[in-house]
């Protein structure tokens, strides 16, 4: 199984990114084992490969980092658990769609540990929760908020970047961007939903649910026993 690393304090973004890419390269060469890092960053925005300049509404608020992962603009900051996932997808079936689906369902299963129903939506990246406590949308559909973002990159079939889950970040910090290009929905966190969840609680849930979706040497996108992803 991967090596789990808890990074203390607020991890500097550029240094952490460099270390993550170096480790991914070493995994690809067979010189290091797979790894998952759990950390927090100081407040910053990141721009993925699909980021649109108009979605950065307050460019002077926090540092903005151009990164090679998929997706658009995201925010990282204290109170948000960032999970960098360095797995050898080449040895786990070489199925990128399966890998992303497994990441999504891992997040959903983790949220379920706190009785939160996370869901994915066609055409939208990340994991969402409905908000029955808020007025419905103009088209009558329930209000929804984003609680987790997913943005990964693969190099030589080894993944890096990963997931962010909002535990108790300052939600006002998201107002400097259009998160992932979605203007019609908001952003929430576990604490915003009224749940007294700590970072340690979330980490324990992540570690407990991980093997359901990423058993040794494979991937189970639905968290079930065979069939797994097919090549």
């Amino acid at each position: 199984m991967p090596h789990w690393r808890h990074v203390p304090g607020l991890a500097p973004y550029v240094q952490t990114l460099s270390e993550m890419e170096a480790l991914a390269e070493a995994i690809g060469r067979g010189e290091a084992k797979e790894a998952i890092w759990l950390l927090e960053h100081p407040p910053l925005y990141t721009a993925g490969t699909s980021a649109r300049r108009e979605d950065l509404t307050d460019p002077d608020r926090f540092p903005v980092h151009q990164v090679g992962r998929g997706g658009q603009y995201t925010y990282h900051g204290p109170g948000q658990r960032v999970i960098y996932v360095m797995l050898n997808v080449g040895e786990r079936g070489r199925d990128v769609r399966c890998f992303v689906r497994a990441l999504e369902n891992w997040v959903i299963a983790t949220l379920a540990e706190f009785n939160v129903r996370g869901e994915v939506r066609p055409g939208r990246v990340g994991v969402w929760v409905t908000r029955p406590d808020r007025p419905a949308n103009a088209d009558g559909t329930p209000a929804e908020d984003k609680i987790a973002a997913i943005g990964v990159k693969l190099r030589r079939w080894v993944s890096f970047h990963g997931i962010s889950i909002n535990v108790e970040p300052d939600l006002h910090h998201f107002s400097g961007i259009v998160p992932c290009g979605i203007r019609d929905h908001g952003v929430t966190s576990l604490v915003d939903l009224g749940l007294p969840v700590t970072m340690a609680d979330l980490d324990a849930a992540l570690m407990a649910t991980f093997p359901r979706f990423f058993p040794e040497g494979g991937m189970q996108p639905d968290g079930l026993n065979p069939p797994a992803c097919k090549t």
Side-chain angles (χ1 to χ4, degrees), residues 42-214:
L44 58 92
Y45 298 129
T46 67
T49 55
S50 302
R52 299 175 297 189
R53 180 63 182 80
E54 62 269 25
D55 288 342
L56 180 62
T57 59
D58 191 354
D60 299 322
R61 190 170 188 179
F62 298 125
V64 180
H65 298 273
Q66 304 289 328
V67 295
R69 58 150 178 82
Q72 302 184 37
Y73 282 105
T74 60
Y75 165 77
H76 293 317
Q80 180 192 72
R81 175 54 87 212
V82 175
I83 306 110
Y84 287 138
V85 180
M86 288 145 281
L87 298 180
N88 193 329
V89 181
E91 294 183 354
R92 290 177 176 267
R94 294 198 171 208
D95 188 328
V96 177
R97 288 185 180 181
C98 170
F99 176 61
V100 173
R101 195 160 69 249
L103 290 175
E104 291 172 339
N105 287 329
W106 178 31
V107 173
I108 290 170
T110 298
L111 295 174
E113 295 289 298
F114 308 103
N115 296 315
V116 174
R117 182 176 179 179
E119 300 176 293
V120 295
R121 294 287 182 261
R124 288 194 244 148
V125 179
V127 177
W128 301 77
V129 294
T130 58
R131 299 300 304 266
D133 56 317
R134 295 186 178 174
N137 297 318
D139 60 1
T141 57
E144 295 182 320
D145 285 342
K146 188 172 189 175
I147 195 168
I150 297 175
V152 294
K153 184 177 178 65
L154 271 69
R155 183 178 296 158
R156 298 185 182 90
W157 288 105
V158 176
S159 67
F160 54 106
H161 295 283
I163 301 164
S164 61
I165 302 175
N166 297 330
V167 179
E168 193 179 7
D170 186 336
L171 297 179
H172 295 293
H173 289 178
F174 286 88
S175 64
I177 58 172
V178 178
C180 298
I182 306 297
R183 296 180 179 272
D184 300 331
H185 301 280
V187 179
T188 191
S189 68
L190 289 166
V191 171
D192 182 54
L193 293 173
L195 300 169
V197 178
T198 67
M199 204 68 75
D201 294 333
L202 180 68
D203 293 345
L206 285 164
M207 297 178 75
T209 55
F210 178 84
R212 289 166 50 187
F213 304 95
F214 298 97

Side-chain angles (χ1 to χ4, degrees), residues 211-230:
R212 289 166 50 187
F213 304 95
F214 298 97
E216 189 69 33
M219 291 185 287
Q220 301 284 357
D222 299 316
L224 304 173
N225 289 323
C229 294
K230 298 179 180 179

